[in-house]
Amino acid sequence: MSKVYPPDAKWYEMARGGIIPQAGNAAEYSVGGWRNEHPVRDDECCIDCLFCWVYCPDEAVRVKDESVKYQGFSPDHCKGCHICAHVCPKDCITMVPGPDFQPDEPGQSEEE
Amino acid sequence: MANLKQLSHREPKLTGGHRLCPGCGEPIAVRQVLMSTEDPVLVTNATGCLEVSTTIFPYSAWNIPWLHIAFENAAAAASGVEAMYQSLKKQGKIDPDANYRFVAFGGDGGTYDIGLQALSGAVERNHDFLYVCLNNEAYMNTGVQRSSATLKGAHTTTSPAGEVIPGKTQNRKDLTEIMVAHDIPYVAQTIPGRWNDITRKAEKAFSIEGPKFMNVLTPCPLGWGHEGGLTPEISQLAADTCIWPLYEVEYGEYKINYKPKEKKPIEAFLEPQARFRHLFRSDEGAEVRKAVQEWVDWKWETLLKKAGE
């Protein structure tokens, strides 16, 4: 089953009683358009304390092998709330104007 | 207790892509509570910001079974599901080794006010579940109306600060103590701004059988009027000023988990928030601040006595 009902889905194609059988499919919904600033992490000074990950309200900080270093922010989930920049003990994260993550910014790998 | 590296290996139970405001304290608390267990979890939800913003049709941000019935009955729904689970287990209809956990989330409106009798009944019936109150001190979902959790002096749309009243005129009620009075195994008060405190308490709650209650102060950038990025810091200031002491009560034994080295004046907590701005503009406001400070001091002294300190 597809993770999300297509926009032209008919009522009889949907589950009864307003049930959403596709658990966690909001992960496919992009709230990236909400932000007008985006975080940029300096991986040189990042100590992998994972504070940005544990305090992120939107599961937008990617973690791989116990590390946030070199793992980017999720462009679809980050709302640009500044929390990661505030909780970073080393001040490695700065908020940069503009909603779009740039490919040449450090720590913006596309991999999940 | 699991450290951050271990926690980061666990599958997220609340995904991104939900529509809570940027900087909201609720998803931080929900993530931290749910990442504290490796067992499968079932969540029931009272009406509130968390419920409406995480389940906008046809999307759901919950990677786990989730149930919402009405505003007042998150605890009743959790107790019903738990009772059914125990019955099916007894009848041998489900895996006897499955170790499901039941968690109810409610806001302060759905817990302090509307859901209080359902909560009281569910814990009295001794159901094995954890109730987490996400207390943002007003009805934020419907547009910031006062609740019985709102701090005295706060401006809300139903206690507007102006010439007639300086914000809310009553002190808030102490729900944590009401739950302690139910003599349940575990009651705790915590904040999302200290990950080790909240995950340790949630982990402890999950390890205890019977009804458990956690009261979490979740700052609301919209209703409190502070920058979204300050959410963890504001909750920490609530602990530093003893407006929201971090303590737990295990089988009637009080334990204070965080004692600020230097108890800050309440102004440290009030000043960054627009809902208390009027208290800094008049003599009447200063009197309200004094009254709140006296109330906070009295509550803190009482708590110290209860903890035998």
Side-chain angles (χ1 to χ4, degrees):
Chain A
M1 197 194 304
S2 154
K3 284 286 264 182
V4 186
Y5 292 119
D8 57 348
K10 300 283 186 294
W11 61 268
Y12 50 81
E13 293 167 345
M14 296 182 179
R16 286 185 184 183
I19 290 169
I20 304 170
Q22 310 92 340
N25 63 359
E28 294 181 20
Y29 185 87
S30 177
V31 287
W34 290 27
R35 64 174 175 266
N36 45 27
E37 286 178 292
H38 67 279
V40 174
R41 181 171 52 228
D42 178 2
D43 290 330
E44 296 273 299
C45 77
C46 174
I47 52 166
D48 261 336
C49 67
L50 296 162
F51 274 22
C52 52
W53 169 76
V54 79
Y55 290 119
C56 177
D58 294 290
E59 204 76 49
V61 180
R62 291 167 177 166
V63 188
K64 198 178 178 187
D65 301 333
E66 304 180 351
S67 169
V68 297
K69 233 177 183 178
Y70 310 117
Q71 296 296 306
F73 299 94
S74 166
D76 282 339
H77 296 160
C78 175
K79 292 173 184 158
C81 70
H82 290 229
I83 285 182
C84 51
H86 276 280
V87 298
C88 182
K90 293 278 174 191
D91 289 331
C92 295
I93 303 177
T94 43
M95 298 302 290
V96 176
D100 295 325
F101 290 97
Q102 305 300 324
D104 56 332
E105 281 164 1
Q108 300 304 333
S109 76
E110 286 299 308
E111 288 169 52
E112 266 305 323
Chain B
M1 189 194 133
N3 60 31
L4 276 179
K5 286 196 194 311
Q6 288 160 333
L7 292 176
S8 72
H9 282 287
R10 296 179 184 171
E11 191 68 23
K13 295 189 176 83
L14 180 74
T15 71
H18 57 72
R19 269 78 109 207
L20 287 154
C21 302
C24 178
E26 290 192 350
I28 309 178
V30 170
R31 284 182 66 227
Q32 289 170 344
V33 168
L34 294 181
M35 70 172 65
S36 310
T37 179
E38 288 181 289
D39 294 327
V41 178
L42 186 143
V43 166
T44 63
N45 213 166
T47 304
C49 292
L50 184 70
E51 174 254 331
V52 298
S53 308
T54 54
T55 54
I56 296 174
F57 195 81
Y59 294 95
S60 164
W62 299 89
N63 251 337
I64 47 177
W66 179 91
L67 173 71
H68 165 255
I69 298 175
F71 207 142
E72 66 279 11
N73 56 16
S79 62
V81 175
E82 194 262 346
M84 181 199 68
Y85 172 75
Q86 301 296 356
S87 167
L88 289 176
K89 216 171 185 180
K90 219 178 259 176
Q91 296 170 44
K93 288 184 180 168
I94 44 172
D95 181 6
D97 297 326
N99 198 12
Y100 255 89
R101 304 292 179 180
F102 302 93
V103 182
F105 286 110
D108 55 301
T111 310
Y112 277 70
D113 298 345
I114 302 171
L116 184 58
Q117 60 88 8
L119 173 62
S120 181
V123 300
E124 188 270 331
R125 291 189 302 271
N126 216 25
H127 287 288
D128 182 18
F129 78 116
L130 166 66
Y131 195 103
V132 182
C133 172
L134 302 165
N135 175 9
N136 52 22
E137 298 204 329
Y139 289 82
M140 299 310 183
N141 180 36
T142 47
V144 201
Q145 287 86 20
R146 80 185 274 291
S147 77
S148 57
T150 311
L151 201 65
K152 184 176 179 170
H155 166 92
T156 67
T157 51
T158 45
S159 63
E163 283 172 18
V164 184
I165 49 163
K168 191 188 170 192
T169 49
Q170 303 86 2
N171 279 317
R172 70 166 170 229
K173 87 179 165 204
D174 196 341
L175 182 70
T176 314
E177 288 301 311
I178 295 174
M179 296 317 292
V180 172
H182 282 76
D183 293 335
I184 59 177
Y186 189 69
V187 178
Q189 197 163 278
T190 182
I191 50 169
R194 290 178 81 81
W195 73 266
N196 44 1
D197 191 76
I198 184 168
T199 57
R200 187 186 60 76
K201 283 174 180 167
E203 204 175 296
K204 191 177 227 176
F206 282 123
S207 73
I208 297 170
E209 212 182 307
K212 286 86 62 175
F213 179 80
M214 277 172 74
N215 204 348
V216 190
L217 188 78
T218 52
C220 170
L222 182 82
W224 293 17
H226 63 79
E227 277 176 44
L230 294 177
T231 297
E233 284 163 70
I234 297 263
S235 68
Q236 175 64 44
L237 282 170
D240 285 340
T241 51
C242 297
I243 282 177
W244 195 257
L246 307 185
Y247 69 101
E248 60 190 341
V249 186
E250 205 181 338
Y251 297 105
E253 288 285 321
Y254 279 79
K255 191 181 173 201
I256 297 173
N257 308 107
Y258 174 72
K259 247 189 274 174
K261 279 194 194 99
E262 205 179 317
K263 185 161 160 272
K264 288 184 182 166
I266 56 159
E267 278 78 6
F269 175 73
L270 306 185
E271 234 169 354
Q273 302 178 42
R275 63 175 176 154
F276 295 114
R277 195 164 43 196
H278 56 281
L279 297 183
F280 294 90
R281 289 180 178 166
S282 65
D283 294 341
E284 203 192 357
E287 273 170 39
V288 175
R289 285 197 327 249
K290 197 166 153 252
V292 175
Q293 180 71 65
E294 278 167 11
W295 177 79
V296 168
D297 291 346
W298 169 70
K299 290 295 286 182
W300 177 242
E301 291 299 323
T302 318
L303 181 64
L304 286 175
K305 266 182 219 155
K306 282 176 183 162
E309 293 183 45

